Amino acid sequence: MKNLIHKFFPFAVVILIFIIVSVAYFSPILEGKKIFQNDIKQFTGMAKEVNDFRKENDAEPYWTNAAFGGMPTYNLSVLYPNNYIKKLDKLLRFLPRPADYLFLYFLSFFILLLVLKVDYKLATLGAFAFGFSTYYIIILGVGHNAKAHAIAYMPMVLAGIILVLQQKYLWGFVLTAIAMSLEINASHPQMTYYLLFMVLILGVFYLIDAFKEKQLPTFFKSVAILMIAVVLAVGTNATSLLATKEYATHSTRGKSELTITPNGSSKKPSKGLDKEYITQYSYGILETFNLFIPRFMGGGNYEDVGLDSNIYQFLKGKTDPRRAKEFAKFAPMYWGKQPIVEAPAYIGAILVFLFVLGIFLVKGKLKKWLVGAVIFSILLSWGKNFNMLTNFFIDYVPLYNKFRAVSSIQVIAELAIPLLGILGLKELFSTNNTSEIKLKALKNTFYIVGGLALIFTLLGSSLFAFEGLRDANYDAMVTGFLDAIIADRKAVFFTDSLRSLILITLSTSILWLFVKEKLNKNTTTVIIACLILFDLVSVDRRYVNNEDFLSAKKVDKPFVASEVDKEILKDKSYYRVANFIVNPMNDGSTSYFHKSIGGYHAAKLRRYQELYDYQISKNNIEVLNMMNTKYFIFEDSSGREALQQNPDANGNVWFVENIKVVNNANEEISALDSLKTKTEAVIDKRFVNGDFKTSFPKDSTATIQLVTYKTNELTYKSNSNSNQFAVFSEIYYKDGWNAYIDGKQTPYYRVNYVLRGMEIPKGKHTIEFKFEPTVIKKGNTITLTSYALLLIISLGWFFVDKKKKNV
């Protein structure tokens, strides 16, 4: 027992250190404060109706009407049944947010380094190096929690895979299955997709090595074990994956039927996201040096350059000093090619130095894998700046065209660079190489990395123009203002280049002293750890710090009802609101209080996005009427928020007399240009059969109205003297919504491009729409089966191995 305690005590201490450091970095959580994250603020607005439904009904709606006219909640806010892997995740993320994600970064990378036989002290250093990578901290600041979540589990998945490839089959199988389950549960398919690339590159080098050493049967045995582990991991997440897959075909990630643009010109039908949209955030080729010098491209879009800056000195004599101070605090420093950059994706000067050192000292397939992964990641992150490769992947690599922001593939480099750097440090500390080899590697690394930093420090200001995409606007504001901005860009470029040079020189000196036996291993490790923490944390704190925390109340309830909101909320009926003060398709605030025609989500229903682009954005009032848009929020002539009620809104449901049958999606969306939505509807001929009626007699006494509303269930009453055709102001979504007339399931149609339509028999009837997605039940069955198989295989394997050892 004492031996067991002695063996695991250091690891317990390391875990405690991870907890302390995570909490210390985000110390305001100790005061009960929460970090303000804009994306989470918007999410809070979008998820309000779902959360309210859960509290009131103790059930899951799987649908919300608060955004984009209505959409499934599969990729918004959802709790699936029997999601035990989510409970394990919550157990691991026991710290308050966002300290929980930082802790997870540390823990996951620490496990990977232990699997690679790195000493626990050096593994602790590596965990800090990985966790404090600027990009990982920045995404916590802006609220990309799902991305951070998925990134955090990537090293753990790799650890499991490498264990299996090391022929430690049982524990590798268990770790891979659990870690991959957690990775998928994080619900950021793009990050998991990028992880797949990293795994494939790893597999290629292991395959080549197995071929050379005539170990192909062993390799393929490992692959088979890993495939079973991954299949079970997928199975434990079957409910969410099946629901997401089903929704993806209807979302902006799916195929469009339209072959015309909003202005009527022709275009090719889309099978995924548009290339322009995919590559909008493409890393500039020169911008890659941000990984090594934090403000190589100026930093973020807005930087605090202080009162000693050229910008402040220039403006203070030409405008109010307070305005000059404000502008200096939010100076436009970024001069790269991306539309918006919160902060540079800085990996660390010391870690880049150690990465190059690792290239010289580390041997074998792991080095080849990590170098190959870094090159692959950086080349693809260039996006439209390296079209030949990017277009190939968009056109031919499965699923690549489903994801935007190609620059984010640099997460591979942000994992591989510190990993090879720590492995390089491990080799420097080991006795495998002579002092001569180590000194030569140190010297060559310093010449390469330090030399590059020296060139940028001495000559950088004259090598580049330091001109950004929006600079013409600044020069138009005040003559000479752009010169002041460029001068400050040059200043921060020089400062950070010199900073990197000094850190590289210090690191080289410390490691040189170690090789010369002037410092021992532990002292060297502590000093390098301190330098890395200083390097990364000081940059991180520029962008995410205590100022980003607010009281819990302000974060949990980020929106306060305005007088206009309060006026609208007096109306207790069911209707929609169009808020034109904001961009309706990039706004979660309106959904917090109302049923909005807009929303905030990266994967909207494609047909609704098209309805907005082709009709609503052109102020087609008939389309707004058919969406039951009863209230408009706008800015009046004095710049204040104003309200206008729309008396012509069609209501929740209405009868139409004529139905236009068109040949395709192009004609259907175009028909809305002139459709009189109160009396007419348009339908694609695919829905039409021989019994379909296109005209119905006008019945002035006919009535139909919504009598009860729930998020996932709507009930109507109708009364007419003849059969009528009803159009419901609800989004058509075939995979889940079922219609019933007097309790009998009845078919309905997609009309007006996005709405539901149904023939209603004469007489008095009760019509119900219920959201009853079968994918949840199907997924739950697979999930439970996968949990059972994972448990049975793991326990059975363990006892069989134990029995073999005892024989």
Side-chain angles (χ1 to χ4, degrees):
M1 186 66 177
K2 287 183 179 180
N3 289 337
L4 194 64
I5 293 172
H6 180 75
K7 182 178 180 180
F8 286 101
F9 180 74
F11 301 106
V13 171
V14 170
I15 300 299
L16 181 61
I17 291 170
F18 289 162
I19 293 170
I20 293 170
V21 172
S22 300
V23 172
Y25 186 87
F26 296 113
S27 58
I29 62 176
L30 297 173
E31 304 169 31
K33 293 183 178 180
K34 293 188 176 182
I35 191 167
F36 172 77
Q37 301 168 300
N38 184 60
D39 275 24
I40 300 305
K41 175 184 176 181
Q42 301 295 335
F43 163 81
T44 301
M46 290 282 288
K48 178 70 161 51
E49 184 184 45
V50 177
N51 290 330
D52 289 347
F53 183 94
R54 285 196 196 112
K55 291 176 184 177
E56 294 169 10
N57 300 278
D58 193 27
E60 197 67 22
Y62 300 114
W63 183 269
T64 179
N65 293 302
F68 305 118
M71 65 181 290
T73 61
Y74 305 147
N75 295 111
L76 175 61
S77 175
V78 63
L79 299 176
Y80 293 112
N82 300 309
N83 195 349
Y84 300 115
I85 203 68
K86 192 176 189 73
K87 293 178 180 180
L88 174 60
D89 171 63
K90 286 185 175 181
L91 188 65
L92 292 172
R93 292 192 301 110
F94 60 92
L95 293 174
R97 186 175 297 173
D100 58 341
Y101 291 121
L102 184 56
F103 172 77
L104 209 55
Y105 289 157
F106 295 155
L107 178 65
S108 186
F109 202 75
F110 181 74
I111 291 170
L112 174 58
L113 287 172
L114 291 181
V115 165
L116 291 172
K117 299 180 175 62
V118 175
D119 171 75
Y120 79 91
K121 297 173 186 175
L122 197 53
T124 304
L125 185 159
F128 290 141
F130 174 76
F132 280 120
S133 182
T134 303
Y135 181 76
Y136 297 159
I137 299 299
I138 294 308
I139 58 178
L140 294 177
V142 297
H144 294 173
N145 290 352
K147 180 183 286 187
H149 201 170
I151 289 169
Y153 283 122
M154 288 168 68
M156 199 182 294
V157 173
L158 292 171
I161 291 170
I162 291 171
L163 269 178
V164 172
L165 292 171
Q166 291 173 346
Q167 299 176 43
K168 297 174 182 176
Y169 296 126
L170 172 58
W171 296 114
F173 168 81
V174 172
L175 182 57
T176 301
I178 293 174
M180 195 65 202
S181 295
L182 291 163
E183 169 69 28
I184 296 169
N185 179 71
S187 296
H188 201 291
Q190 187 171 6
M191 294 301 105
T192 306
Y193 182 69
Y194 292 158
L195 172 62
L196 174 61
F197 282 129
M198 203 169 185
V199 172
L200 289 175
I201 296 169
L202 174 67
V204 167
F205 286 109
Y206 263 90
L207 175 61
I208 293 169
D209 200 59
F211 178 77
K212 288 179 179 178
E213 297 180 8
K214 298 181 180 180
Q215 293 291 322
L216 285 176
T218 303
F219 172 78
F220 286 116
K221 178 182 177 181
S222 297
V223 170
I225 291 169
L226 289 171
M227 287 180 68
I228 295 170
V230 171
V231 167
L232 290 175
V234 170
T236 60
N237 288 276
T239 313
S240 63
L241 289 174
L242 289 173
T244 299
K245 181 179 183 296
E246 180 183 271
Y247 176 66
T249 60
H250 304 293
S251 78
T252 49
R253 266 59 174 173
K255 182 179 178 181
S256 173
E257 299 176 13
L258 295 177
T259 58
I260 56 172
T261 64
N263 62 18
S265 59
S266 62
K267 69 167 186 174
K268 292 182 180 180
S270 170
K271 294 182 181 179
L273 298 174
D274 294 332
K275 283 185 181 179
E276 184 178 346
Y277 185 64
I278 293 170
T279 60
Q280 184 182 16
Y281 288 88
S282 295
Y283 225 63
I285 295 174
L286 275 177
E287 200 169 354
T288 306
F289 288 111
N290 271 346
L291 306 178
F292 169 54
I293 296 171
R295 289 183 293 185
F296 188 94
M297 281 283 174
N301 276 79
Y302 301 103
E303 294 269 339
D304 186 352
V305 291
L307 302 184
D308 295 328
S309 64
N310 293 281
I311 288 174
Y312 177 73
Q313 296 301 323
F314 176 83
L315 288 177
K316 72 175 183 179
K318 299 182 182 298
T319 185
D320 185 305
R322 287 175 297 182
R323 291 188 62 189
K325 285 182 181 179
E326 191 67 20
F327 209 95
K329 194 173 182 179
F330 298 97
M333 287 291 96
Y334 177 69
W335 50 281
K337 296 183 178 180
Q338 298 186 81
I340 300 173
V341 171
E342 292 289 337
Y346 180 61
I347 293 176
I350 299 172
L351 286 166
V352 171
F353 171 82
L354 293 176
F355 171 76
V356 177
L357 181 66
I359 293 174
F360 286 110
L361 291 179
V362 179
K363 308 298 180 186
K365 50 187 173 286
L366 285 178
K367 179 182 77 173
K368 294 173 184 175
W369 164 50
L370 294 170
V371 172
V374 169
I375 294 170
F376 172 84
S377 171
I378 289 174
L379 292 180
L380 275 173
S381 76
W382 291 345
K384 60 187 175 185
N385 301 311
F386 193 30
N387 264 329
M388 180 177 69
L389 181 65
T390 299
N391 288 341
F392 173 82
F393 270 74
I394 290 173
D395 293 336
Y396 300 108
V397 176
L399 302 179
Y400 195 81
N401 65 354
K402 306 298 182 185
F403 306 110
R404 66 182 296 237
V406 292
S407 60
S408 60
I409 200 172
Q410 281 192 357
V411 294
I412 293 176
E414 285 152 359
L415 195 163
I417 287 174
L419 183 54
L420 184 56
I422 298 302
L423 292 177
L425 204 52
K426 175 193 172 189
E427 289 300 316
L428 190 82
F429 287 159
S430 76
T431 56
N432 294 337
N433 296 310
T434 64
S435 297
E436 289 75 17
I437 291 174
K438 294 175 183 178
L439 286 173
K440 184 179 179 181
L442 265 178
K443 187 188 298 182
N444 290 336
T445 302
F446 181 70
Y447 288 159
I448 294 169
V449 184
L452 193 60
L454 180 63
I455 290 170
F456 287 139
T457 302
L458 297 178
L459 304 175
S461 297
S462 59
L463 290 175
F464 312 111
F466 295 91
E467 294 176 355
L469 296 175
R470 303 177 184 85
D471 285 356
N473 299 330
Y474 304 122
D475 211 24
M477 290 169 62
V478 184
T479 303
F481 184 34
L482 180 57
D483 293 335
I485 293 172
I486 289 176
D488 280 334
R489 288 172 179 168
K490 289 182 178 181
V492 298
F493 179 94
F494 172 79
T495 300
D496 280 11
S497 296
L498 180 61
R499 178 184 185 277
S500 291
L501 177 60
I502 291 170
L503 287 168
I504 290 162
T505 303
L506 286 172
S507 300
T508 305
S509 302
I510 296 301
L511 295 178
W512 183 85
L513 288 171
F514 167 77
V515 176
K516 288 292 187 178
E517 299 182 354
K518 306 293 184 182
L519 292 173
N520 62 36
K521 178 182 172 182
N522 288 339
T523 303
T524 303
T525 302
V526 170
I527 295 173
I528 292 295
C530 290
L531 286 173
I532 288 175
L533 284 171
F534 167 79
D535 181 17
L536 294 176
V537 173
S538 61
V539 174
D540 294 341
R541 298 293 289 183
R542 294 176 185 174
Y543 305 103
V544 180
N545 50 54
N546 293 1
E547 293 180 5
D548 296 300
F549 285 80
L550 302 173
S551 68
K553 183 179 179 181
K554 288 183 179 179
V555 174
D556 293 338
K557 296 182 178 180
F559 303 107
V560 177
S562 66
E563 291 305 313
V564 164
D565 291 322
K566 291 176 183 176
E567 186 63 29
I568 295 172
L569 290 170
K570 291 177 182 177
D571 187 340
K572 302 303 180 183
S573 63
Y574 173 42
Y575 51 85
R576 294 194 179 91
V577 174
N579 187 352
F580 293 120
I581 289 180
V582 295
N583 176 356
M585 299 301 278
N586 197 32
D587 160 57
S589 63
T590 309
S591 298
Y592 189 81
F593 299 106
H594 315 292
K595 308 295 187 288
S596 176
I597 66 161
Y600 187 92
H601 202 276
K604 315 166 188 71
L605 284 169
R606 175 176 281 279
R607 296 187 77 84
Y608 191 80
Q609 178 68 62
E610 290 167 344
L611 182 78
Y612 183 86
D613 293 340
Y614 287 70
Q615 298 295 341
I616 297 176
S617 65
K618 297 177 181 179
N619 298 317
N620 186 330
I621 191 63
E622 283 287 351
V623 170
L624 288 166
N625 288 342
M626 79 178 196
M627 293 303 302
N628 192 22
T629 313
K630 192 174 181 180
Y631 295 99
F632 300 131
I633 302 174
F634 63 97
E635 191 176 275
D636 64 17
S637 57
S638 63
R640 291 180 297 184
E641 188 180 54
L643 175 65
Q644 180 180 336
Q645 185 171 344
N646 176 20
D648 297 319
N650 290 11
N652 305 117
V653 60
W654 61 96
F655 289 132
V656 296
E657 299 162 32
N658 298 302
I659 304 171
K660 295 181 178 181
V661 179
V662 294
N663 293 312
N664 51 47
N666 290 343
E667 293 183 12
E668 188 178 4
I669 195 81
S670 299
L672 295 175
D673 293 346
S674 57
L675 193 75
K676 304 302 180 186
T677 59
K678 287 183 177 61
T679 59
E680 300 174 318
V682 59
I683 190 169
D684 193 303
K685 70 177 183 181
R686 286 175 298 171
F687 291 105
V688 176
N689 55 40
D691 299 328
F692 187 82
K693 298 177 183 177
T694 58
S695 64
F696 292 83
K698 184 173 182 178
D699 182 352
S700 58
T701 64
T703 60
I704 185 168
Q705 59 183 339
L706 178 72
V707 291
T708 60
Y709 168 82
K710 284 178 70 174
T711 304
N712 57 357
E713 186 175 332
L714 303 110
T715 304
Y716 306 82
K717 295 286 187 181
S718 74
N719 187 9
S720 62
N721 295 321
S722 60
N723 287 7
Q724 297 289 310
F725 192 89
V727 175
F728 300 84
S729 184
E730 300 300 326
I731 298 299
Y732 177 91
Y733 189 79
K734 67 175 183 178
D735 294 320
W737 278 106
N738 294 320
Y740 301 86
I741 296 180
D742 300 330
K744 181 181 178 182
Q745 189 168 346
T746 307
Y748 63 99
Y749 308 94
R750 190 190 71 219
V751 298
N752 295 4
Y753 206 70
V754 297
L755 299 183
R756 307 171 200 168
M758 175 191 288
E759 184 174 346
I760 308 296
K762 65 180 180 179
K764 294 182 178 180
H765 299 285
T766 298
I767 303 105
E768 296 171 291
F769 275 99
K770 297 179 182 180
F771 194 57
E772 302 169 318
T774 57
V775 71
I776 305 299
K777 184 177 180 180
K778 179 181 177 182
N780 188 43
T781 301
I782 298 172
T783 294
L784 289 174
T785 303
S786 299
Y787 281 131
L789 287 173
L790 177 57
L791 186 62
I792 291 167
I793 291 172
S794 300
L795 289 176
W797 197 340
F798 173 78
F799 286 116
V800 168
D801 274 3
K802 190 175 181 180
K803 188 175 181 181
K804 285 181 180 178
K805 290 176 183 177
N806 291 333
V807 171

